[in-house]
């Protein structure tokens, strides 16, 4: 940074003769890149010259050398002119023609123009007091008439005049709400205020000396003012405030503990804007100066490191929107945190937005936002009380500073695809066979989900399409790695929910998180890949029971009485059958299954970032479990069904791997039955849940299994078939056994009259296929007409078959 030097040619009235040994003390450094008239503004800062003279300095780039008119919008201290320097050389003064903010040109040594060569220059505005000049805007042009700055001044001046002539307001009700416009934000762990207008409030940098006592006060206010004074570099120990010292006017007396730059703020308590007269040590320093801004309540949180920030800054009346943000423990308390332009260690460029990131001993209850200058107003989204997210550790390219938590981790409750479609009650993965959106073409499956085809996600859900969607207009991004879909993310205004400063994701079972758009890309450890498809809102919505327009989430549709959550449970008969089947499984098989299943379940944590259930199956634990289940399919199905009923969509792949080949038609029946009538008896839409589809599918599978009688399964039994010949039997008995899988088999015959038994086959491991087991029944001493029971035990489940002894 250039060292600013004041020339000996400085006008005598300034009395500022400074040497080349000036030490600059710089605060509030800002970066810009926009035109101010015919020059480019590159930055600004506030600087203390020679330890005595506060100056506001602008870095401007002159593209073509010549004589320029310099115009400013400045808030003059009462009765004070402002000295102007170019590259440390005095060129004249800005002279106040009135009080408060005004449009000014000044009296310069070269007339009304300043001679500037091509290149970068520093234009400094120097105060004669300890208060840095408040310069809202500058403009340089070779024409005295400058429509841009004059137009913005006309708008600002009308607002100032309207505020100045208001009847002084009565003190506001201190318990009143902030009036924030909130979106549903289900499960959100922060407060927010969307598209809220923010206005300028008087903020004065002032260099104060240790050991002095300063008194600041307001008077003639047209809105309820609050005064704050703080050292931004030591805000935890040097921060003071006052509200309602006399009526609604404020009064602040402070013994200055250390020599430093301080910030003095005169702001509004409530939502109204107005003006006030600002006094320092009994003397008016700013007349009819604005008080405004916007506050938002924070609520409570268990976290201590919290984020407060603005985003989506939108201009009004041609302004360049620029925010400041404060945090307080109450609306009238001293500031505990402050930021103008956030200096990030991440990748997201905050620009002129503001962000506080700090560890607090007491959670701030209020955030306050105002414009940087009189002409920097606009609208913005305000977020308050969001904790840091921990998901950054799962993504190689997501910086710690960029990850802000928007909702708590939920395990397998809902995931990224659900949230991108406004769903919060269920885990959604359209590529699961249990999903009503399933299609053999993976892209079509996701298209079905986002387009509410063949059924809606919920009443009033937003319809999305890939048609016409591009990288620039997309609201939903679909991700893939090596050709396999992995993730979905969403941004404002998707589903009319707040989505943070850029994009938002719900990575599997982890924290819902704000992040830069492409920060989740790459391979290890998450393997999300990159964005491969884009969706935009069609402008239409899924049909509603009543009314028109969109509904943000499934829970809002339920609260409105239009929808109900899908619920499914086994019928009592099916549950009884399942319990009996489970009890008949041999202890060794049950123990082995439980061990293998528990090992696979423990591995889920390694994949918790994933939303695709099949990604939880790409490990040795799943392979071992699947191999065992396939080898003992009919035996372990009851054990697995029990696990599935405990509630996790992660089990969908195993359910399909074990059953689709034989029972897949039953799953299609389940979906067709729902599609035929997706409404309950009261006419409310049933929001389909693919996990519930799995339960209904299990119900149908159980219905095809034989009922339990006397603790024996009366065949045929799933997984094997038995044929007895001859029947009636006289001497030689043949048991024909067809196994679908490798199994442990035992066969015995019982005389139902005498109880005598004959073991035809001790427990033996048989391979899948056809087997014949023969034996003579003479040892049973059964007379003609006697009933015999043949018990065939396969993997611990015994089936009973009857035959008669012939003559």
């Amino acid at each position: 940074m250039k060292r600013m030097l004041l020339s000996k040619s400085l006008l005598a009235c300034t009395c500022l003769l400074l040497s080349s040994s000036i030490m600059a003390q710089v605060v509030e450094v800002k970066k810009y890149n926009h035109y101010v008239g015919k020059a480019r503004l590159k930055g600004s800062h506030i600087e203390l010259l020679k330890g005595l003279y506060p100056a506001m300095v602008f870095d401007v780039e002159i593209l073509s050398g010549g004589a320029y008119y310099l115009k400013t919008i400045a808030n003059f201290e009462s009765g004070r002119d402002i000295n102007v320097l170019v590259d440390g050389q005095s060129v004249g003064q800005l002279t106040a023609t009135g009080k408060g903010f005004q449009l000014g040109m000044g009296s310069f040594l070269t007339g009304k123009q300043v001679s500037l060569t091509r290149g970068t220059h520093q234009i400094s505005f120097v105060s004669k007091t300890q208060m840095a000049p408040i310069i809202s805007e500058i403009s340089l042009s070779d024409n005295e008439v400058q429509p841009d700055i004059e137009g913005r001044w006309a708008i600002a001046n009308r607002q100032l005049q309207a505020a100045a002539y208001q009847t002084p307001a009565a003190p506001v009700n201190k318990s009143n709400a902030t009036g924030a416009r909130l979106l549903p934000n289900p499960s959100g762990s922060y407060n927010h205020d969307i598209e809220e207008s923010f206005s300028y409030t008087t903020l004065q940098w002032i260099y104060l000396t240790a050991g002095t006592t300063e008194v600041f006060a307001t008077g003639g206010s047209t809105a309820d003012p609050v005064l704050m004074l703080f050292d931004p570099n030591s805000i935890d120990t040097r921060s003071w405030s006052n509200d309602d010292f006399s009526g609604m006017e404020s009064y602040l007396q402070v013994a200055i503990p250390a020599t430093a730059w301080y910030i003095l703020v005169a702001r509004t308590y409530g939502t109204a804007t107005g003006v006030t007269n600002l006094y320092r040590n009994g003397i008016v320093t700013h007349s009819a100066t604005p008080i405004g801004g916007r506050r938002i309540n924070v609520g409570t949180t268990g976290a201590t490191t919290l984020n407060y920030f603005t985003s989506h800054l939108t201009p009004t009346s041609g302004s360049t929107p620029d925010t400041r943000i404060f945090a307080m423990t109450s609306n009238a308390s001293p500031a505990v945190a402050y930021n103008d332009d956030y200096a990030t260690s991440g990748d997201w460029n905050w620009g002129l937005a503001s962000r506080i990131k700090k560890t607090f001993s007491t959670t701030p209850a209020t955030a306050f936002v105002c414009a940087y200058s009189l002409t920097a107003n606009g609208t913005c989204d305000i977020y308050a009380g969001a904790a840091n997210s921990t998901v950054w550790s799962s993504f190689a390219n997501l910086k710690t500073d960029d990850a802000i938590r928007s909702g708590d981790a939920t395990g397998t409750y809902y995931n990224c695809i659900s949230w991108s479609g406004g769903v919060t009650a269920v885990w959604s993965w359209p590529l699961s066979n249990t999903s009503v959106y399933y299609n053999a073409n993976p892209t079509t499956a996701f298209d079905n989900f986002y387009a509410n085809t063949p059924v809606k996600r919920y009443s009033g859900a937003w319809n999305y399409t890939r048609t016409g969607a591009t990288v620039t207009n997309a609201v939903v991004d679909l991700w893939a790695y090596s050709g396999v879909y992995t993730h979905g993310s969403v941004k404002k205004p998707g589903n009319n929910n707040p989505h943070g400063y850029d994009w938002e994701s719900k990575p599997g079972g982890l924290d819902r998180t704000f992040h830069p758009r492409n920060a989740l890309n790459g391979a290890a450890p998450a393997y999300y890949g990159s964005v491969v498809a884009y969706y935009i809102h069609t402008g239409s919505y899924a049909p509603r029971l009543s009314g028109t327009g969109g509904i943000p989430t499934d829970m809002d549709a339920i609260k409105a009485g239009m929808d109900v959550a899908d619920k499914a449970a086994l019928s009592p008969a099916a549950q009884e059958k399942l319990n009996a089947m489970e009890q008949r499984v041999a202890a060794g098989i049950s123990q082995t299954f439980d061990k293998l299943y528990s090992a696979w379940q423990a591995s889920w944590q390694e994949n918790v970032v994933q939303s695709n259930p099949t990604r939880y199956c790409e490990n040795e634990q799943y392979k071992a479990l699947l191999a065992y289940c396939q080898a003992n399919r009919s035996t372990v199905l009851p054990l697995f069904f029990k696990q599935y009923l405990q509630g996790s969509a992660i089990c969908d792949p195993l359910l399909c791997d074990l059953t689709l080949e034989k029972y897949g038609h039953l799953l299609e029946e389940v979906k067709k039955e729902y599609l035929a009538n997706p409404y309950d008896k009261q006419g409310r839409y049933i929001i389909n849940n693919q996990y519930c589809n799995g339960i209904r599918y299990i119900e149908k599978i159980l219905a095809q299994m034989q009922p339990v009688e006397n603790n024996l399964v009366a065949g045929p039994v799933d997984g094997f078939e038995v044929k007895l010949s001859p029947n009636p039997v006289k001497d030689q008995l043949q048991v024909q056994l067809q196994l679908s899988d490798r199994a442990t088999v035992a066969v015995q015959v019982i005389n139902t009259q005498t109880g005598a038994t004959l073991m035809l086959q001790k427990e033996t491991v048989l391979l899948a296929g056809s087997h014949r087991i023969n034996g003579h029944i003479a040892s049973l001493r059964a007379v003609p007409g006697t009933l015999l029971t043949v018990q065939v035990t396969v993997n611990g489940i015994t089936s009973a078959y009857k035959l008669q002894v012939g003559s």
Side-chain angles (χ1 to χ4, degrees):
M1 179 177 295
K2 293 182 180 179
R3 178 167 300 187
M4 292 185 51
L5 299 178
L6 295 182
S7 168
K8 291 182 180 180
S9 63
L10 186 62
L11 293 178
C13 63
T14 66
C15 299
L16 299 178
L17 300 178
L18 305 179
S19 71
S20 60
S21 61
I22 294 172
M23 178 183 296
Q25 300 187 42
V26 177
V27 293
E28 198 167 67
V29 178
K30 297 182 72 68
K31 300 296 182 182
Y32 296 104
N33 186 24
H34 63 267
Y35 281 92
V36 288
K38 291 193 174 182
R40 180 181 288 116
L41 178 60
K42 301 177 69 175
S44 68
H45 64 271
I46 291 174
E47 184 172 343
L48 190 67
L49 299 180
K50 205 176 181 180
L52 294 174
Y53 308 113
M56 188 164 187
V57 183
F58 292 87
D59 297 313
V60 295
E61 182 182 5
I62 302 300
L63 305 181
S64 179
Y68 286 87
Y69 291 96
L70 171 64
K71 284 195 173 183
T72 66
I73 298 176
N75 190 352
F76 286 80
E77 293 181 60
S78 295
R80 300 284 187 177
D81 296 333
I82 298 174
N83 300 303
V84 183
L85 290 77
V86 175
D87 298 331
Q89 301 296 318
S90 172
V91 296
Q93 291 181 322
L94 284 176
T95 301
T97 57
K99 296 179 179 180
F101 274 101
Q102 53 199 270
L103 182 69
M105 288 185 63
S107 302
F108 303 128
L109 295 178
T110 55
K112 290 187 177 181
Q113 291 175 287
V114 179
S115 181
L116 296 170
T117 59
R118 186 175 183 269
T120 301
H121 298 272
Q122 284 193 333
I123 301 178
S124 306
F125 301 89
V126 186
S127 170
K128 299 176 184 178
T129 69
Q130 293 168 288
M131 292 185 171
I134 300 177
I135 311 293
S136 282
E137 193 162 344
I138 68 170
S139 181
L140 288 162
S141 177
D142 55 9
N143 194 318
E144 185 172 353
V145 177
Q146 300 183 32
D148 286 347
I149 191 171
E150 290 169 359
R152 285 192 287 275
W153 166 246
I155 294 171
N157 191 41
R158 284 197 296 270
Q159 296 172 343
L160 287 171
Q161 295 302 315
Y165 289 103
Q166 290 179 9
T167 301
V172 300
N173 182 342
K174 302 303 184 183
S175 64
N176 278 353
T178 64
R181 188 168 81 81
L182 305 181
L183 297 179
N185 187 30
S187 304
S189 57
Y190 58 90
N191 279 16
H192 66 282
D193 191 349
I194 297 300
E195 295 169 3
E196 183 57 65
S197 61
F198 61 92
S199 58
Y200 175 71
T201 201
T202 298
L203 183 144
Q204 176 69 67
W205 283 87
I206 179 170
Y207 196 77
L208 299 175
T209 306
T212 61
T213 297
E214 295 286 336
V215 177
F216 301 97
T218 63
S221 304
T222 61
D224 189 355
V226 177
L227 281 178
M228 298 192 304
L229 180 72
F230 59 89
D231 175 358
N233 293 315
S234 188
I235 199 168
D236 289 329
T237 57
R238 303 172 194 165
S239 186
W240 307 268
S241 69
N242 178 259
D243 176 44
D244 295 348
F245 176 79
S246 176
M248 69 178 181
E249 301 294 354
S250 300
Y251 176 94
L252 188 60
Q253 180 172 319
V254 178
I256 304 303
T259 300
W261 279 109
Y262 291 80
I263 293 177
L264 175 67
V265 181
R267 64 175 180 85
T268 182
Y269 179 94
T271 58
T273 60
V275 296
T276 191
N277 296 314
L278 184 59
Y279 295 81
R280 179 189 177 197
N281 300 326
I283 300 173
V284 176
T285 59
H286 299 78
S287 300
T289 194
I291 50 174
R294 165 63 65 180
R295 69 181 173 93
I296 175 175
N297 291 336
V298 176
T300 58
T301 177
T304 55
T305 301
L306 300 172
N307 295 271
Y308 304 77
F309 61 89
T310 61
S311 66
H312 298 92
L313 275 60
T314 304
T316 58
S317 306
S319 66
T320 301
D322 187 350
T323 58
R324 303 178 191 263
I325 191 167
F326 308 79
M328 294 85 70
T329 55
S330 69
N331 191 36
S333 69
V336 293
Y338 163 76
N339 179 255
D340 175 23
D341 300 335
Y342 184 67
T344 182
S345 60
D347 292 332
W348 177 250
N349 180 11
W350 288 87
L352 299 179
S354 305
R355 176 184 174 188
I356 292 168
K357 179 183 178 183
K358 183 176 177 179
T359 300
F360 296 95
S361 57
T362 301
T363 300
T366 299
F368 178 81
V369 172
C370 67
Y372 170 78
S373 66
L374 183 67
T375 54
N377 59 323
T379 64
C380 71
D381 297 344
I382 307 171
Y383 291 81
N388 294 334
S389 174
T390 59
V391 306
W392 60 268
S393 60
S394 297
F395 300 95
N397 297 314
L398 177 59
K399 300 296 192 300
T400 306
D401 199 42
D402 290 331
I404 299 177
R405 189 174 74 199
S406 56
D408 294 337
T410 59
T412 57
Y413 187 51
Y414 74 106
N415 63 346
C416 65
I417 300 302
S418 298
W419 180 237
S420 66
V423 177
T424 62
V426 298
W427 190 281
S428 301
W429 193 254
L431 292 183
S432 291
N433 290 84
T434 52
S435 172
V436 290
Y437 305 105
Y438 174 80
N439 189 282
N441 183 318
T443 304
T444 301
F446 283 98
D447 288 349
N448 290 344
F449 176 80
Y450 289 118
N452 293 303
T453 301
V455 291
K456 53 194 176 184
R457 302 188 300 277
Y458 57 89
S459 295
W462 287 36
N463 293 323
Y464 294 102
T465 180
R466 286 186 296 118
T467 302
T470 66
V471 65
T472 57
N473 66 7
V475 175
V476 172
D477 280 351
L478 187 60
W479 299 59
Y481 178 77
S482 295
V484 179
Y485 289 117
T486 57
H487 178 64
S489 50
V490 61
K491 67 174 294 187
K492 183 184 179 182
N495 310 306
N496 198 32
N497 281 300
H499 294 298
Y501 62 85
D502 194 24
W503 287 72
E504 185 181 21
S505 290
K506 178 63 176 65
L510 298 179
D511 291 345
R512 211 168 75 202
T513 299
F514 299 143
H515 60 86
R517 182 178 199 167
N518 296 309
L520 309 187
N521 62 354
Y527 292 96
Y528 274 10
S530 60
V531 178
V532 297
Y534 308 103
Y535 291 87
I536 57 173
H537 182 212
T538 64
S540 63
Y541 310 91
R544 296 172 46 168
L545 183 65
S546 62
T548 58
I551 295 179
T553 70
D554 52 349
M555 297 308 297
D556 295 293
I558 291 173
K559 290 177 183 176
M562 298 180 182
D563 294 4
V564 293
D566 193 3
K567 295 181 180 180
L570 292 184
S571 65
Q575 188 64 60
E576 182 180 355
K577 179 186 293 187
L578 180 59
N579 292 341
M581 293 176 67
E582 181 193 22
Q583 292 172 4
R584 297 296 299 174
V585 176
I589 292 177
S590 180
Q591 291 170 0
T592 301
F593 172 83
D594 288 345
K595 180 179 179 181
L596 292 172
Y597 187 88
S598 295
W600 177 52
Q601 193 174 43
S603 74
W604 292 1
Q605 187 60 36
E606 300 172 4
N607 297 285
V608 69
V609 69
Q610 305 297 336
S611 287
N612 180 355
T614 62
R615 297 296 299 273
Y616 292 74
C617 304
E618 298 171 354
N619 54 41
E620 294 303 318
Q621 293 91 332
Y622 182 79
K623 292 177 183 178
L625 173 63
L626 179 62
Y628 185 77
C629 289
Q630 288 176 333
N632 301 276
R633 192 186 309 264
S634 58
T635 308
V636 301
L637 272 182
L639 304 176
F640 170 64
F641 288 167
K642 281 279 191 176
Q643 292 289 351
Y644 189 94
L645 293 171
Q646 293 180 13
S648 177
I650 302 303
C651 292
D652 276 354
L654 184 56
L655 176 65
C656 294
D657 284 345
L658 295 180
T659 63
L660 279 186
E661 183 177 356
K662 185 171 184 178
Y663 297 110
H665 64 286
L666 298 179
L667 181 55
E668 293 308 308
E669 285 183 12
V670 169
K671 292 190 278 189
K672 286 178 181 178
E673 289 169 1
Y674 170 78
L675 294 175
N677 184 20
Y679 296 90
D680 69 3
K681 294 179 180 179
Q682 287 75 41
R684 298 170 298 182
Y685 179 70
I686 303 170
I687 301 173
N688 190 253
N689 182 331
Q690 63 189 62
Y691 167 69
C692 291
N693 291 341
I695 295 176
R696 298 185 186 98
Y697 177 39
I698 291 174
E699 174 93 18
K700 288 181 176 289
I701 294 174
L702 289 171
Q704 292 207 351
M705 294 181 176
Q706 294 299 315
V708 176
E709 297 177 0
N710 299 322
N711 294 326
L712 297 178
V713 179
V717 176
D718 180 51
F720 63 92
E721 294 182 0
V722 174
K723 292 182 180 179
L724 305 178
S725 63
N727 188 9
V729 61
K730 182 176 181 180
D731 182 22
Q732 182 85 7
L733 173 64
Q734 184 180 84
V735 178
Q736 294 179 313
L737 183 62
Q738 184 71 35
L739 295 175
S740 60
D741 297 296
R742 176 177 178 273
T744 301
V745 178
V747 180
Q748 69 174 347
V749 184
I750 302 173
N751 185 328
T752 60
Q753 291 183 356
T754 65
T757 61
L758 170 65
M759 182 61 72
L760 292 184
Q761 174 72 60
K762 294 183 179 180
E763 271 198 354
T764 304
V765 176
L766 302 179
L767 299 178
S770 181
H771 301 271
R772 289 183 176 85
I773 300 171
N774 300 309
H776 294 277
I777 66 169
S779 63
L780 293 176
R781 298 179 182 179
V783 299
T786 301
L787 287 177
L788 302 179
T789 297
V790 179
Q791 293 184 353
V792 180
T793 302
V794 178
N795 292 333
I797 297 179
T798 300
S799 306
Y801 304 87
K802 303 294 185 180
L803 76 161
Q804 191 174 35
V805 177
S807 57

